[in-house]
Amino acid sequence: MDSVPALERRDVRFEQTVDVVVVGLGVAGASATIAARQTGGDVLAVERSSGPGGTSANSGGLIYLGGGTALQEACGFGDSPENMAAFLQAALGPGVGDGRLQAYCDGSPEHFDWLVSIGVPFRAQFCDEPNRESTDDAGLVFSGGEDTFPFDEIARPAPRAHKPQCLDSAGGFLMERLGVAVSESGARTASDVRADALVVDGGEVVGVQVTGDDGTRAIRARGGVILATGGFIHNEAMVAEHCPRAHLPDPVWRIGTPNDDGRGIRMGLGAGAVATRLDAFECALPLGPPHRLARGILVNRHGERFINEDAYTGRIGLDALLDQDGFVYMITDDVIHERNMVGLHVGYAAATPAELAVDIGVPPDALARTVAEYNEAAGRGEDPVFHKRAPFLQPIGVPPASGIGAVDLRVDHGAIYATFTLGGLATDCDGAALDAIGSVVPGLYAVGRTAASLAAHYYVSGISLGDGSFFGRRAGSHAAKQAQRSKT
Ligand SMILES: Cc1cc2nc3c(=O)[nH]c(=O)nc-3n(C[C@H](O)[C@H](O)[C@H](O)COP(=O)(O)OP(=O)(O)OC[C@H]3O[C@@H](n4cnc5c(N)ncnc54)[C@H](O)[C@@H]3O)c2cc1C
């Protein structure tokens, strides 16, 4: 990957000096900006588009928090940092850093209070439709398969996706509130201003060069530059080189804005930081809502099941794409299926599993056996192989159903495999960027999807806005303190 070379201090004339420069005003940059101001820093936030928002504003607004937040308690769910950490370690790994995870889980209840304190409201109402934001303004949902196998045996299930109080998708509302909080914090902001390159002095990042309508200028940062520029799903070359498996689904389902072009990551590389886990990505294959469609079964090219269908959609999507080569059908019937929110429809219908298998191109004997074994156990309310939960166990293709059908979920046949990148610059728990030997690159921070954070391999919905706001806040505060130290 081509880095964006840093400029040398001696070749640059700074036109402005502040304590902290934040690059990008999505959830991570806005949180960094507010926290830096709350720590007493003089902050300038530059945003390449016309105002705060980024991909964060297009999101569902789910924020993954737990450990016993006030909202969880008000909704009657017990949780603890240890319980939350046990779940996330299993659900996001392998490779989740223990220190980072512990900091996140321990700090999560207080971080929820902080979001409320800066003007983000939540309604204490649990919504029993998992994996996406509630359609009303209910504030708490399951969003990572916490109550599904195997996680229900690893940690006590607790819903942790906190949705700001707003009907349906809440990302726009969240960013509106954070935008107001940024303004009220007294931070200076500059829109339509793009960061081009970092400025270094003897290995330390001391500023950034930006370009706006009034031309190009350099800004000195006493405490640090915080890169919060999003990921790289819309950089074709970077995805092809580093995350080729995310290249498989139709690009139309790549999630983000065109500004998720990886420039922040490349700027960090140019200043001596390293990137890590660039091949990690989220891949959601939505079967619902409604979640009751999980009463169907998913089969691969061998006509066999491969996962419990009530699992989190991001887990199903990644396994379907990577382990099953994107060859997946949902086997269902006219009693179970209804056209769902993302338009899934039964494209094949037959009288028997074997006949259906011929139509969809999987071995007839295998599909007949898969359905027969599933139906036999489901009739007893059990799923001994994949452990789908009882509410989703219902024999398929038997009366009163009129036959058996299949929904085409093959990756090259138009199914939604929604992807975005999870890798980025390596950082410590304060968002400080790290070099190849794990030392801090002085003056440089990376947060949000510009950094590789908690989602090391798998994903849970809400962890982007969660870790982006959490570590963004820590980076802002840390950089502002660094600036104070530099003045004494
Ligand atoms: C439909 C949808 C639903 C989603 N739902 C959820 C959800 O419910 N919960 C969840 O956690 N995640 C969700 N996500 C993912 C989540 O939105 C993103 O991963 C997250 O918002 C990234 O935040 P960020 O602050 O890192 O980046 P962004 O929010 O993208 O912010 C980065 C900002 O940096 C700016 N920028 C980029 N380059 C430069 C530059 N060189 N100079 C200046 N500015 C620059 C960009 O314009 C942008 O404003 C969803 C995404 C989508 C699209």
Side-chain angles (χ1 to χ4, degrees):
M1 176 190 357
D2 289 340
S3 62
V4 176
L7 305 170
E8 287 295 335
R9 166 74 184 92
R10 62 176 174 273
D11 300 327
V12 168
R13 191 175 63 82
F14 286 124
E15 290 188 15
Q16 187 180 2
T17 297
V18 296
D19 289 342
V20 181
V21 177
V22 177
V23 182
L25 273 173
V27 73
S31 301
T33 302
I34 296 162
R37 282 294 301 141
Q38 288 179 333
T39 314
D42 170 27
V43 188
L44 174 67
V46 296
E47 165 55 50
R48 171 179 180 170
S49 60
S50 57
T55 300
S56 305
N58 300 333
S59 76
L62 299 180
I63 308 170
Y64 201 92
L65 298 169
T69 65
L71 192 76
Q72 286 179 307
E73 284 180 7
C75 292
F77 290 97
D79 198 7
S80 68
E82 295 72 29
N83 190 50
M84 179 184 180
F87 169 74
L88 286 179
Q89 187 76 55
L92 298 177
V96 189
D98 286 343
R100 179 186 301 271
L101 183 61
Q102 204 55 54
Y104 186 66
C105 297
D106 287 348
S108 200
E110 188 276 333
H111 188 61
F112 171 78
D113 295 341
W114 180 78
L115 287 167
V116 173
S117 77
I118 61 169
V120 185
F122 297 84
R123 186 162 80 89
Q125 177 70 46
F126 171 65
C127 166
D128 197 14
E129 179 67 40
N131 300 336
R132 89 175 286 281
E133 58 277 15
S134 55
T135 50
D136 62 7
D137 65 351
L140 193 63
V141 293
F142 281 102
S143 67
E146 294 84 349
D147 56 349
T148 66
F149 184 83
F151 306 110
D152 57 348
E153 296 185 353
I154 292 170
R156 195 170 67 252
R160 300 194 182 91
H162 292 56
K163 195 192 87 164
Q165 187 173 0
C166 159
L167 293 182
D168 216 327
S169 294
F173 174 73
L174 171 69
M175 288 313 300
E176 199 182 294
R177 289 301 173 107
L178 292 186
V180 170
V182 165
S183 303
E184 290 177 350
S185 75
R188 280 173 282 173
T189 59
S191 298
D192 297 312
V193 172
R194 191 192 66 203
D196 296 327
L198 294 165
V199 181
V200 293
D201 188 1
E204 180 179 356
V205 172
V206 293
V208 61
Q209 177 178 280
V210 302
T211 301
D213 288 343
D214 52 355
T216 296
R217 65 198 164 101
I219 305 156
R220 180 175 164 238
R222 293 188 197 94
V225 176
I226 301 176
L227 297 172
T229 55
F232 63 93
I233 194 66
H234 285 292
N235 183 319
E236 187 67 29
M238 277 179 80
V239 172
E241 182 181 353
H242 299 286
C243 199
R245 296 173 308 175
H247 220 243
L248 301 173
D250 188 335
V252 81
W253 299 119
R254 287 187 196 163
I255 290 229
T257 73
N259 292 346
D260 284 298
D261 65 358
R263 189 170 185 94
I265 296 170
R266 293 169 56 226
M267 284 165 61
L269 295 180
V274 291
T276 183
R277 298 199 303 259
L278 292 178
D279 59 345
F281 64 106
E282 151 76 331
C283 179
L285 174 57
L287 306 182
H291 194 48
R292 59 180 172 269
L293 298 187
R295 290 175 298 168
I297 58 173
L298 297 171
V299 299
N300 59 18
R301 66 173 72 247
H302 308 297
E304 294 168 347
R305 290 175 73 205
F306 58 94
I307 198 165
N308 45 324
E309 293 80 7
D310 58 348
Y312 168 57
T313 50
R315 197 162 197 89
I316 291 176
L318 210 58
D319 284 3
L321 185 69
L322 302 187
D323 299 343
Q324 313 305 331
D325 297 327
F327 186 106
V328 175
Y329 282 95
M330 184 162 69
I331 308 300
T332 187
D333 64 34
D334 53 335
V335 172
I336 291 174
H337 199 75
E338 59 195 272
R339 200 180 174 96
N340 80 347
M341 202 155 156
V342 291
L344 292 186
H345 63 280
V346 176
Y348 301 84
T352 66
E355 287 170 25
L356 180 68
V358 173
D359 292 344
I360 64 176
V362 304
D365 289 354
L367 186 64
R369 190 170 53 248
T370 297
V371 173
E373 288 175 1
Y374 174 80
N375 281 355
E376 188 275 322
R380 289 185 275 113
E382 291 174 13
D383 179 16
V385 183
F386 293 101
H387 309 281
K388 185 159 64 169
R389 287 164 301 157
F392 302 100
L393 295 172
Q394 179 171 326
I396 298 170
V398 295
S402 62
I404 189 161
V407 178
D408 193 344
L409 295 174
R410 288 175 297 170
V411 68
D412 48 1
H413 283 68
I416 299 176
Y417 286 73
T419 56
F420 63 89
T421 57
L422 299 173
L425 296 175
T427 57
D428 70 10
C429 293
D430 289 311
L434 302 177
D435 66 14
I437 56 166
S439 299
V440 162
V441 177
L444 184 61
Y445 300 80
V447 293
R449 292 286 57 87
T450 310
S453 190
L454 291 166
H457 182 69
Y458 284 104
Y459 189 78
V460 297
S461 279
I463 204 72
S464 269
L465 300 180
D467 80 27
S469 60
F470 185 87
F471 293 106
R473 185 183 162 204
R474 283 175 76 116
S477 178
H478 196 271
K481 284 182 194 149
Q482 288 297 109
Q484 281 157 16
R485 279 189 206 111
S486 77
K487 290 178 199 164
T488 53

